[in-house]
């Protein structure tokens, strides 16, 4: 599907922003090198990035060179951490105008649940705009907007804000160091004053999640270097 068709359907469904979450380390690579990138592109350029549990699945299904975007802020909607990372890039939906030369697909389910490599593409993705219009639901975490086989960074031109998770009082050092580094890099790419620390409602479970995991898990999400 082309980007203008997908953008039109998403707007019809009430989607005005697209979201991408990642670790601090990988986000630094994005900001130092011109934009969001597929994991394969980052790897080929030998930029730092943290491993993801989905990497093997993504390679198996040949989506390792895709950029994935959500239709909602997963942390806010699920009231828990985004397990892909504590840094959330929030783009205007107009970012799709930048990728008119790429195929835009929308998954039917999260790729981590695809069970067989030979599962046909029409069972993984919506096949056309009419199917997408009938089947897409804003906030369905399995329905990812994917920019297929993208061989360049997705620029920050349409980046509206960046939100950083607060991992709690015991991890303020991680938070402060990440905030300072990300804020400095955003300033350097002309995106001043768009970084904010996430403010959660009382019923959000994120602090409990940080408290329940081993310290190495938080370090993995917030580290600044390999």
């Amino acid at each position: 599907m082309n980007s203008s068709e997908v953008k039109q359907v998403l707007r019809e469904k009430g989607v005005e922003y697209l979201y991408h979450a990642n670790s601090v380390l990988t986000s630094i690579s994005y900001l130092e090198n011109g934009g969001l990138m597929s994991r394969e592109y980052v790897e080929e350029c030998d930029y730092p990035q943290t491993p993801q549990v989905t990497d093997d699945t993504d390679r198996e299904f040949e989506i390792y060179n895709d950029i994935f975007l959500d239709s909602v802020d997963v942390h806010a909607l699920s009231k828990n951490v985004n397990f892909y990372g504590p840094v959330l890039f929030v783009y205007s939906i107009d970012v799709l105008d930048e990728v008119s030369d790429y195929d835009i697909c929308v998954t039917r389910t999260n790729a981590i649940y695809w069970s067989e490599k030979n599962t046909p593409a029409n069972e993984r993705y919506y096949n056309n705009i009419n199917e997408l219009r009938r089947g897409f639901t804003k906030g369905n975490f399995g329905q990812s907007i994917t920019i297929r086989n993208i061989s360049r960074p997705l620029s920050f031109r349409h980046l509206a804000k960046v939100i950083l998770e607060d991992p709690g009082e015991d991890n303020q050092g991680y938070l402060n160091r990440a905030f300072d580094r990300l804020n400095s890099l955003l300033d350097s790419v002309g995106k001043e004053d768009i970084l904010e620390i996430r403010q959660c409602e009382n019923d959000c479970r994120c602090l409990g999640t940080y408290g329940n995991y081993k310290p190495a898990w938080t370090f993995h999400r917030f580290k600044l270097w390999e």
Side-chain angles (χ1 to χ4, degrees):
M1 293 182 287
N2 67 54
S3 60
S4 61
E5 291 177 324
V6 174
K7 179 181 173 183
Q8 179 180 341
V9 171
L10 293 177
R11 277 233 161 99
E12 291 171 6
K13 301 290 186 174
V15 177
E16 292 296 332
Y17 295 94
L18 298 174
Y19 303 81
H20 177 91
N22 224 306
S23 69
V24 171
L25 180 66
T26 305
S27 299
I28 288 171
S29 289
Y30 292 163
L31 289 165
E32 289 181 333
N33 296 286
L36 297 192
M37 295 171 276
S38 74
R39 295 188 64 74
E40 182 174 300
Y41 186 90
V42 174
E43 187 176 279
E44 289 178 347
C45 292
D46 200 28
Y47 301 145
Q49 67 179 347
T50 52
Q52 297 280 9
V53 296
T54 53
D55 284 345
D56 288 342
T57 303
D58 290 354
R59 291 188 184 96
E60 179 182 0
F61 288 99
E62 299 180 347
I63 55 176
Y64 197 55
N65 199 33
D66 298 354
I67 290 177
F68 286 74
L69 301 164
D70 293 311
S71 64
V72 291
D73 178 345
V74 171
H75 184 132
L77 193 60
S78 67
K79 298 186 183 302
N80 203 347
V81 300
N82 190 314
F83 285 92
Y84 285 99
V87 184
L88 185 68
F89 292 84
V90 183
Y91 276 85
S92 162
I93 197 173
D94 292 331
V95 71
L96 293 179
D97 297 339
E98 293 188 22
V99 288
S100 59
D101 50 340
Y102 287 93
D103 189 22
I104 310 300
C105 292
V106 181
T107 61
R108 294 178 184 270
T109 59
N110 192 305
I112 201 169
Y113 300 118
W114 296 350
S115 58
E116 297 180 10
K117 187 173 182 179
N118 60 358
T119 301
N122 63 0
E123 294 181 17
R124 302 180 201 168
Y125 300 100
Y126 290 99
N127 297 303
N128 55 57
I129 287 300
N130 290 332
E131 276 192 8
L132 182 64
R133 185 173 279 113
R134 288 193 301 268
F136 183 83
T137 301
K138 180 182 178 181
N140 184 324
F141 300 161
Q143 295 176 331
S144 297
I145 297 93
T146 66
I147 306 166
R148 299 281 281 137
N149 294 309
I150 181 164
S151 54
R152 59 174 172 80
L154 183 65
S155 84
F156 298 122
R157 178 184 173 191
H158 295 289
L159 183 64
K161 69 170 69 172
V162 178
I163 304 173
L164 179 63
E165 285 180 358
D166 184 346
E169 288 187 18
D170 292 341
N171 296 303
Q172 285 301 294
Y174 288 141
L175 175 67
N176 294 336
R177 287 190 291 271
F179 185 93
D180 290 345
R181 182 66 175 135
L182 293 170
N183 201 44
S184 174
L185 288 169
L186 285 164
D187 286 350
S188 73
V189 299
K191 290 291 180 177
E192 300 88 354
D193 302 320
I194 68 165
L195 178 62
E196 59 186 58
I197 296 173
R198 183 178 292 280
Q199 304 297 315
C200 292
E201 302 293 336
N202 291 334
D203 59 346
C204 187
R205 295 169 289 156
C206 63
L207 292 181
T209 299
Y210 277 107
N212 289 334
Y213 277 81
K214 294 180 179 179
W217 184 77
T218 303
F219 173 75
H220 176 83
R221 291 166 68 81
F222 279 86
K223 66 181 181 179
L224 305 183
W225 53 84
E226 288 186 301

